[in-house]
Amino acid sequence: MTNAQRIARIAGPSLVVLSITEALNLDAFAAITPPQVYLNGTILFVAGVSILQAHRSWSRDWQVLVTLAGWALLLAGLWRMIAPHAPQLGQGAGTDAVFILLIGVGAVLSFNGYRAERRP
């Protein structure tokens, strides 16, 4: 099993579940405080760095999603650490699009992480 598959087995289901539960509980994030945003950013940043330490591949297949997820987590975490007072996502079409995108990426990662390996 490759590092990409190992990471996909963790990141894929996590993205799907986190996206769905955050979409269902979006109103709970209206009262989030800057220290909570900063802490969330720190966690996202560390997750992104961890993924990029284990996998940095710019291939032309599904594995590039692992690298892109690592960079997205790193940059999102960095932004939340730099600007914890910035407005958070609210309800709207843009937020729904982000959740749909994350669920889709999570589904692709899950599928490729858990599918049976092909033997030559």
Side-chain angles (χ1 to χ4, degrees):
M1 181 182 317
T2 66
N3 280 344
Q5 288 172 304
R6 284 185 186 93
I7 295 167
R9 286 180 170 203
I10 297 167
S14 297
L15 277 174
V16 171
V17 171
L18 287 170
S19 298
I20 292 170
T21 57
E22 284 192 22
L24 292 174
N25 296 298
L26 198 56
D27 58 327
F29 295 99
I32 195 166
T33 65
Q36 291 169 317
V37 173
Y38 186 87
L39 176 61
N40 175 260
T42 303
I43 293 167
L44 293 176
F45 182 83
V46 170
V49 169
S50 298
I51 289 172
L52 292 173
Q53 285 298 306
H55 181 79
R56 289 180 315 274
S57 174
W58 294 103
S59 59
R60 291 182 181 232
D61 60 7
W62 71 270
Q63 294 183 26
V64 75
L65 287 177
V66 175
T67 302
L68 290 172
W71 277 108
L73 288 169
L74 182 145
L75 293 173
L78 184 61
W79 171 250
R80 291 176 76 91
M81 291 168 67
I82 290 171
H85 294 282
Q88 304 302 306
L89 287 178
Q91 291 187 352
T95 302
D96 293 342
V98 168
F99 286 134
I100 290 168
L101 175 69
L102 291 174
I103 291 167
V105 170
V108 170
L109 290 175
S110 297
F111 174 79
N112 285 291
Y114 283 101
R115 72 179 170 162
E117 292 194 31
R118 298 178 196 152
R119 301 197 193 276

